[in-house]
Amino acid sequence: AEHLSPEIPAIRPDSVEGWFHLAKLGYYLHPLRGRPLGEARDALDRAAELDPDNVIILVHQALLAVKAGRPDEVDALTRRALALLDRGDYADFPLLVRVIRTFGLPGRPGESDLWAELEDANPYTPLWCLAPLSCPIGNVAAAERLSELMVRPAQPAPVRLFGRLARAGLALGRGRWSAAKAELAEAARLDPATATIHHAFLALAHHRDPAPEGLHALRDELSALT
C-alpha cells in the first residue's frame, strides 16, 4: 500500500481520493512504526485544497491538529466542519466533531452536555467516536467511559463486540492483562473467532513477554479457525 499509494496522485494530481488515501496511509501506519504522524499532513492539506468542503478531510485535519498541539487550528477546523454539517446528512458526524472539540481543546468545553447526548445517541455513534479518543487525542479515561456505553446489554451485538475488544486493548494499555483477558472472554460470547484473533494480537504486544505455552495454545486456536 505504501508503495502504490503515491502513484495515484502522481498520475492524477487532481484526485481528492488519491491524496486523501495517501494521507490516511500515513495517519494509520506511521504511529505503528514510530514515524511522525505529521508526515501525513501535506497530503491531507492537498486533498483539502482540492475539496475544501469535505467534512471527512476536515475531521482528519482536526485530529492531526490535536496531535500537534494546535488548539487554534482544532477550533477553526471543527467549527467549519460543524457549519458544513448543518446542511449535510452525516448523521454521526456532529457528535464526532464535538468529541474532537471537547477533548482536543483546553478546558473541555461542553463536556457534560456531550456525555448526555452520547448516552442517547445512535448505538453506532460511540463506535466512530472511540478511535479518535483513544489514539490521536489519547484520552484513555474518556475512551474507557465511552466503551462502557457500548457494552450495555441493549446495544446491538456488533457494537457490544467492538466495545469489548476496545476495552481489552485499553486494559492492556494500562498493563492490566487479566482485565484484558476478561474482556476477551466476554467478546468470545459474541464472536469466538474474532475474539481469538484479537487475543492473539494483544498477546503479541511488544511490552509483554508471554509464556510459550500460552502462545502455543493461541496458535492452535488460530489454526482451528475456519
Side-chain angles (χ1 to χ4, degrees):
E2 188 172 41
H3 176 72
L4 291 173
S5 290
E7 295 186 14
I8 302 170
I11 296 169
R12 291 278 308 280
D14 60 344
S15 169
V16 176
E17 187 176 0
W19 286 108
F20 182 52
H21 280 288
L22 180 59
K24 283 209 299 182
L25 187 75
Y27 181 91
Y28 290 111
L29 293 186
H30 284 359
L32 299 177
R33 297 183 294 173
R35 290 173 58 180
L37 191 59
E39 287 184 10
R41 186 184 179 103
D42 290 345
L44 196 57
D45 287 349
R46 179 59 182 144
E49 288 176 13
L50 293 167
D51 191 359
D53 290 344
N54 189 311
V55 174
I56 299 174
I57 292 174
L58 285 169
V59 165
H60 281 78
Q61 284 185 305
L63 287 169
L64 283 182
V66 171
K67 194 70 174 175
R70 297 172 174 160
D72 290 345
E73 279 187 40
V74 177
D75 183 39
L77 289 163
T78 52
R79 284 182 186 276
R80 177 162 173 71
L82 288 170
L84 289 168
L85 287 166
D86 278 344
R87 59 175 192 265
D89 61 352
Y90 293 88
D92 291 321
F93 263 63
L95 268 178
L96 171 61
V97 175
R98 287 175 55 208
V99 164
I100 297 169
R101 277 187 65 79
T102 295
F103 294 99
L105 290 174
R108 297 184 186 176
E111 182 176 1
S112 58
D113 291 339
L114 180 66
W115 282 117
E117 291 185 52
L118 286 168
E119 290 265 355
D120 298 326
N122 177 309
Y124 290 88
T125 299
L127 188 152
W128 297 113
C129 296
L130 188 66
L133 263 183
S134 56
C135 298
I137 295 172
N139 191 317
V140 175
E144 288 175 336
R145 180 174 174 180
L146 189 62
S147 71
E148 291 173 5
L149 302 181
M150 300 172 66
V151 298
R152 291 178 175 177
Q155 298 285 39
V159 175
R160 283 184 282 133
L161 173 64
F162 190 90
R164 291 295 179 187
L165 297 174
R167 289 175 66 79
L170 291 167
L172 181 58
R174 290 187 181 273
R176 300 171 180 165
W177 181 231
S178 295
K181 288 195 291 185
E183 295 292 349
L184 290 166
E186 291 296 324
R189 298 174 184 269
L190 297 161
D191 187 333
T194 299
T196 296
I197 291 167
H198 279 261
H199 191 162
F201 277 131
L202 295 184
L204 295 172
H206 71 277
H207 57 279
R208 293 193 67 253
D209 186 16
E213 59 270 18
L215 292 182
H216 293 160
L218 276 168
R219 181 193 61 191
D220 294 341
E221 287 185 48
L222 289 168
S223 298
L225 296 179
T226 57

